């Protein structure tokens, strides 16, 4: 269903991801786990046809994301990191618009909208402007737009970020329910989310895959936190060094400034 | 086509769900109304003067088209050009700022469909604006006896001019995520096209002809007199095509940045 083979993406001279490869099957929830800035969003954006890779290939639902981008986009539902909502629209009119541009026929649209609203428990705010809704509702409507056209693959980029605990539980239940016959890719940096939801995990660090396995195998001998810390050690060490450098640099600079003033 | 229509109708609805539609509509109609009233008052003064002079020949020469409609539409051109960036600045800059561009660019629609959809959405709003502004010539038709054909071609000139301004404004809106920058950029481009013929007399015959041809208002003058020339229509259609083409290229380039 999803086959990613040695994907690399450069922004100028900087490689956001390098030789990333993984796969996921129908019915599976794949967690892409990694620290902030590891390259998760870049990977998600390539898989959804938002941007092309610099090299490597990715096939989603049997189609190449670059060569057959429109076919891929027809079959993928995508929740970007920032919910793509129009504040002045209501959930109903918004989902109608999304269903139209995703190619849902006029006859099927009312049913599709109703199903998406019901699945995300947003029926009760269906006619309120999106700009007036709480963050939890906004996030759920954003998930509704990702499933309104009944896609084969659903890509969710940080779906629970910034939500309160009750909302997080609700969204996690919702994601679990989506996976019965679809492939779901979930990018996150929240460890419990992966253990609770995902069948398979890919850990990405500094743009490279550092671990890939089923959640059960990965957590058989140690818990996910230990695995994560072990495989992303270089990140942690680099971050600590950066903090140490900046705290040491400040007093020196201050002394130098004071010296100049004298 | 279905995708273009979906985006166009969404845009039109968005205009009326935000204050911008009402600000532009009321501002435009108020300014136009003020000019209309002044020109009509002047026309009435001339009628009164010539009537008192008891010279029927001179009275017959007074024309509502020449003294009211043509100068009204001619003056409105400048106001029109300055107002168009208010309509176009949000078209794509707002999508980029709020992150909804990711929805559009990951949907099974082409960037050309997005550009056309945005363009037609703003054009539909323009039609509403011109439709309401037709109230002024309608008043003349009700109380007076103006020639209708030049009024219609004058409105066609405003429509083509407005569509050209929308296409260029749309392009400006695709290059930045700041609505202000998009508005200033669109205003600058339109102002340049408005003023470009100023040095025409000083730069020699052939160069002068080029500058005059490029001027956005030069091609509306004859149309406002009732004369539709192919070269004028081609000029506006070219501007529209260039604007939409550049917008599509700019949208496509977002994927590569």
């Amino acid at each position: 269903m999803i086959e990613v083979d040695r994907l690399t993406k450069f922004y100028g001279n900087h490689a956001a991801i390098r030789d990333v490869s993984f796969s996921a099957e129908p019915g599976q929830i794949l967690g892409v786990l990694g620290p902030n800035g590891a390259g998760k969003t870049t990977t998600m954006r390539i898989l959804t046809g938002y941007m092309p890779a610099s090299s490597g290939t990715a096939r989603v639902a049997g189609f190449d994301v670059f060569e057959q981008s429109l076919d891929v986009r027809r079959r993928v539902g995508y929740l970007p990191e920032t919910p793509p909502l129009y504040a002045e629209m209501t959930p109903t009119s918004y989902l109608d618009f999304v269903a139209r541009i995703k190619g849902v026929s006029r006859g099927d649209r009312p049913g599709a909208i109703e199903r998406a609203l019901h699945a995300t428990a947003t029926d009760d705010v269906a006619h309120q402007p999106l700009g007036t809704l709480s963050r939890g509702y906004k996030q759920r409507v954003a998930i509704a737009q990702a499933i309104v056209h009944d896609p084969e693959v659903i890509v969710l980029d940080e779906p629970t970020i910034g939500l309160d605990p009750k909302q997080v539980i609700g969204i996690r239940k919702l994601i679990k329910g989506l996976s019965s016959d679809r492939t779901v890719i979930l990018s996150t940096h929240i460890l419990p989310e992966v253990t609770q939801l995902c069948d398979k995990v890919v850990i990405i660090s500094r743009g490279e895959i550092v671990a890939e396995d089923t959640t059960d195998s990965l957590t058989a001998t140690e818990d996910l936190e230990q695995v994560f810390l072990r495989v992303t050690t270089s990140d942690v060490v680099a971050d600590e060094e950066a903090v140490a450098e900046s705290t040491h640099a400040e007093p020196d600079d201050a002394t130098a400034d004071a010296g100049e003033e004298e | 086509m279905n995708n273009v229509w979906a985006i166009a109708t969404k845009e039109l609805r968005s205009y009326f769900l935000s204050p911008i539609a009402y600000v532009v509509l009321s501002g435009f109609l108020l300014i136009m109304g003020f000019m209309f009233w002044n020109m009509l008052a002047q026309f009435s003064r001339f009628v009164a003067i010539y009537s008192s002079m008891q010279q029927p020949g001179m009275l017959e020469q007074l024309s509502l088209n020449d003294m009211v409609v043509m100068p009204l539409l001619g003056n409105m051109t400048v106001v029109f050009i300055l107002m168009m960036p208010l309509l176009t600045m949000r078209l794509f800059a707002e999508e980029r700022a709020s992150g909804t561009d990711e929805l559009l660019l990951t949907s099974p629609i082409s960037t050309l469909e997005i550009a056309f959809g945005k363009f037609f959405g703003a054009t539909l709003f323009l039609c509403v604006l011109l439709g309401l502004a037709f109230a002024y010539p309608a008043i003349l038709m009700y109380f007076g006896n103006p020639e209708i054909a030049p009024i219609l071609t004058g409105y066609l000139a405003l429509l083509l001019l407005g569509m050209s301004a929308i296409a260029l404004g749309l392009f400006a809106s695709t290059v930045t995520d700041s609505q202000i920058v998009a508005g200033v950029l669109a205003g600058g481009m339109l102002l340049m096209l408005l003023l470009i013929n100023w040095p025409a007399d000083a730069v020699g015959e052939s160069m002068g002809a080029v500058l005059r041809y490029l001027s956005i208002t030069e091609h509306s003058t004859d149309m406002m007199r009732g004369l539709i020339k192919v070269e004028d229509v081609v000029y506006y259609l070219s501007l529209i095509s260039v604007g939409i083409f550049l917008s599509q290229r700019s949208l496509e380039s977002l994927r590569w940045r």
Side-chain angles (χ1 to χ4, degrees), chain B residues 36-49:
Chain B
F36 177 73
W37 173 71
N38 271 293
M39 284 161 188
L40 201 58
Q42 195 180 17
F43 179 80
S44 304
R45 270 201 306 278
F46 274 106
V47 170
I49 292 167

Side-chain angles (χ1 to χ4, degrees), chain A residues 206-228:
Chain A
R206 297 186 169 250
E208 292 182 40
I209 300 271
V210 288
E212 181 192 358
D213 211 335
T214 60
T215 315
D216 293 340
S217 318
L218 213 57
T219 54
T221 52
E222 51 188 345
D223 65 29
L224 191 60
E225 191 177 339
Q226 287 169 309
V227 178
F228 183 75

Side-chain angles (χ1 to χ4, degrees), chain B residues 158-226:
Chain B
L158 281 185
L159 179 66
L160 287 171
L161 209 124
M163 287 168 81
S164 308
I166 287 170
L168 294 176
L170 172 62
F171 167 59
S173 185
T174 60
V175 298
T176 172
D177 56 8
S178 157
Q179 292 193 42
I180 302 288
V181 173
V184 170
L185 209 60
M189 282 194 285
L190 292 170
L191 217 53
M192 201 60 227
L193 284 173
L194 188 73
L195 306 178
I196 199 162
N197 60 346
W198 279 22
D201 293 331
V203 291
E205 202 173 317
S206 53
M207 192 60 195
V210 171
L211 293 185
R212 270 191 213 97
Y213 183 78
L214 288 176
S215 163
I216 198 166
T217 47
E218 199 90 8
H219 297 272
S220 62
T221 321
D222 281 342
M223 237 183 271
M224 285 177 182
R225 285 200 197 103

